[in-house]
Amino acid sequence: MSKKYEQLARDIVRLVGGDANIDSLHHCQTRLRFKLIDDNKADVEAVGKLPGVPKAFVKGGMFQVVIGLDVADCYDEVVKLITPKGEGAAPAAAPDAPKEKKKVFDIVADFISSIFSPIVPALAGAGMVKALLALLTAFHLIDTASQTYVILNLFGDATFAFMPILLAYTTAQKLKCNPILAAVVAGIMCHSTWTGLVGAGEAVHFFGIPFYLVRYTNSVIPIVLVLLVQAPVEKFLNKICPKSIRLVIVPMVEFIVMGTLALSILGPLGDYVGSIFTAIFTFLSENVGWLEAMLMGGLYSPLVIFGLHHGLAPLGTMQMSQMGYDGIFGPGVLCANIAQGTAALVTGLLSRSHDTRQIGVSAGITGLMGTTEPALYGVNVPKKYPLIAGMIGSACGGLYAGLTHTHRFATGSSGLPAVVMYIGDGTMQYFYNIVIALAITIVVAAVMTVILGRVFEKKRA
């Protein structure tokens, strides 16, 4: 499959300024995400006109190239053409080349996207395992006291239990420090010995330094704070340590220093920040639960268009790690994806144009399965009214999901198969509610597509 992308990969690399202008590259479900040394060297318009590229744009500090569901195949071809830029690599831009001042929001969005995007497949896989477990339990196909249940639950829990190690690796890659050393520091925080000490509940001191009894498995924020300190510490150690002993001295000092800081200051601070998020999530759920799901449903698709949606995804991950469920991100996003897929499908089915019909039906079905970029860039954005119809439909579905406090118990792709993630907590209540929310979404999005389509056609006539 990847062979068909050889020429496209060469064209993309050439038009973004060549290998020398590429600082780093990763991909999400549908996009190549380049971190370029100089964005001005990239020809955004030319990349967007390449066959097989629905859209290209710069947002959140990243040069984003929409490919579609085969993005991994295109990525495999692109990485063959670029040289990995290691720590200390010389910059391609001239020393006096002016650097574009990036907005704080773009920097934060780029950072969040870079550390969470690589672990999305693991989250999706673990989420589906948990959903399968919920199904088997709901239909009494396995006993919750059986070893089969325990082992299957272990398979689904591993990603979340060792989330700090996964985030340590991706965050280290983003911050240009050693990802293996970062993973080890995260391992210190998740080690069974530390977990046992926390469980024992007795005060812990290390050379007189108090270690706060905090459990870090399933956590998100603590390890990110640790890496923000570890990266400059590691660079400083590499700078002052002679090369002849750097291999053994730097890791040893780093483990002791960062392990101490992680368990005494940074980790507890991150846990405190996490508790603040928990309080916020709880307040929103109890007081304005209808608003968050409605806004997420109605406004998520425009964020996808501009590549800003990855900045919101960690909200669901954090709520899941803190509270065991996600009611802020998941329901609204599921409604948004289904709405845009429905709008594209209806537009395609009603169109007299063979090309629009073909693209609309294909992209619509893909959207219903959870990937909306083909629908958005192929039909909904160019025609405008399907996009608006989808936003109205998803806002209505999200409103119902919010009013009924619907939430999911696992993370994964937000398409029709995701409804099984709403089975949990010993009840089918949330499953029934999300099905009703999606029914509302589909009906409203379809009706509004027809109505707005006629209005737009009359205006054109």
Side-chain angles (χ1 to χ4, degrees):
M1 174 72 76
S2 60
K3 294 296 181 183
K4 65 180 275 191
Y5 288 104
E6 287 181 352
Q7 184 57 50
L8 177 59
R10 284 194 288 268
D11 291 337
I12 291 174
V13 171
R14 173 175 55 83
L15 292 172
V16 299
D19 173 37
N21 195 41
I22 300 173
D23 180 65
S24 63
L25 167 68
H26 66 273
H27 72 86
C28 56
Q29 287 182 305
T30 57
R31 307 177 187 191
L32 296 174
R33 292 173 172 266
F34 291 91
K35 176 70 174 178
L36 301 180
I37 294 171
D38 184 357
D39 289 338
N40 294 321
K41 292 184 178 180
D43 191 334
V44 181
E45 186 176 348
V47 175
K49 291 181 179 179
L50 291 173
V53 178
K55 186 78 173 178
F57 53 89
V58 178
K59 203 67 182 178
M62 306 292 288
F63 187 95
Q64 304 183 36
V65 183
V66 180
I67 301 296
L69 295 178
D70 292 336
V71 65
D73 297 306
C74 185
Y75 172 84
D76 290 340
E77 292 301 319
V78 173
V79 294
K80 295 177 183 178
L81 306 174
I82 63 178
T83 306
K85 308 296 190 299
E87 184 179 349
D96 57 348
K99 278 194 172 183
E100 181 183 355
K101 189 175 181 180
K102 294 180 179 177
K103 298 178 181 177
V104 174
F105 178 81
D106 287 341
I107 294 173
V108 173
D110 171 38
F111 181 75
I112 292 175
S113 173
S114 297
I115 67 175
F116 277 95
S117 291
I119 66 174
V120 166
L123 290 171
M128 290 309 296
V129 172
K130 298 288 282 185
L132 173 62
L133 183 65
L135 273 176
L136 294 174
T137 304
F139 290 100
H140 305 289
L141 297 176
I142 61 173
D143 187 349
T144 55
S146 68
Q147 289 185 344
T148 299
Y149 176 90
V150 172
I151 297 299
L152 192 56
N153 191 50
L154 181 153
F155 292 164
D157 269 349
T159 297
F160 299 99
F162 297 105
M163 180 72 73
I165 297 177
L166 299 178
L167 284 175
Y169 192 90
T170 57
T171 304
Q173 288 183 315
K174 175 62 180 175
L175 297 176
K176 299 276 193 324
C177 61
N178 191 310
I180 301 300
L181 299 185
V184 172
V185 172
I188 293 172
M189 300 169 70
C190 297
H191 198 282
S192 58
T193 298
W194 175 250
T195 303
L197 290 172
V198 173
E202 298 180 1
V204 177
H205 291 83
F206 178 68
F207 289 104
I209 301 172
F211 282 2
Y212 293 90
L213 301 180
V214 176
R215 195 183 303 272
Y216 296 109
T217 53
N218 289 72
S219 65
V220 172
I221 299 175
I223 189 59
V224 176
L225 290 183
V226 170
L227 262 295
L228 288 173
V229 174
Q230 183 171 336
V233 167
E234 182 177 298
K235 290 175 183 176
F236 174 74
L237 292 174
N238 282 323
K239 183 178 180 180
I240 66 171
C241 188
K243 290 184 179 180
S244 58
I245 58 173
R246 184 180 298 170
L247 179 63
V248 292
I249 296 299
V250 170
M252 179 192 72
V253 175
E254 195 167 336
F255 293 158
I256 295 174
V257 171
M258 293 313 305
T260 302
L261 289 175
L263 299 180
S264 63
I265 300 175
L266 299 175
L269 176 61
D271 181 70
Y272 179 73
V273 174
S275 67
I276 294 176
F277 274 103
T278 299
I280 293 173
F281 294 147
T282 302
F283 174 82
L284 292 175
S285 178
E286 293 177 350
N287 296 277
V288 288
W290 60 271
L291 179 63
E292 58 195 33
M294 183 182 73
L295 290 178
M296 188 67 73
L299 301 178
Y300 181 75
S301 295
L303 295 177
V304 173
I305 295 171
F306 296 107
L308 298 176
H309 57 302
H310 283 284
L312 295 176
L315 288 176
T317 304
M318 283 190 287
Q319 189 180 20
M320 186 78 68
S321 65
Q322 296 286 332
M323 306 179 71
Y325 61 82
D326 164 31
I328 290 182
F329 184 77
V333 172
L334 179 56
C335 290
N337 288 349
I338 297 304
Q340 294 302 324
T342 299
L345 182 60
V346 171
T347 301
L349 291 173
L350 298 180
S351 177
R352 297 177 182 177
S353 167
H354 173 74
D355 290 340
T356 301
R357 189 181 307 115
Q358 186 177 29
I359 296 173
V361 172
S362 174
I365 294 173
T366 301
L368 293 175
M369 292 299 106
T371 303
T372 58
E373 278 90 343
L376 288 170
Y377 298 123
V379 178
N380 297 2
V381 172
K383 290 187 173 295
K384 297 183 180 63
Y385 69 86
L387 173 65
I388 299 171
M391 292 171 63
I392 296 173
S394 56
C396 292
L399 175 60
Y400 177 84
L403 288 172
T404 54
H405 301 285
T406 300
H407 48 251
R408 60 179 180 172
F409 299 91
T411 57
S413 179
S414 295
L416 286 177
V419 294
V420 296
M421 297 178 185
Y422 293 77
I423 302 174
D425 206 21
T427 177
M428 296 290 288
Q429 168 190 347
Y430 305 107
F431 172 78
Y432 297 142
N433 283 334
I434 196 62
V435 170
I436 295 173
L438 293 184
I440 294 172
T441 297
I442 291 171
V443 170
V444 174
V447 171
M448 292 305 301
T449 300
V450 174
I451 294 174
L452 294 178
R454 291 177 178 175
V455 171
F456 272 67
E457 290 301 325
K458 283 182 180 180
K459 285 184 177 181
R460 289 181 180 177

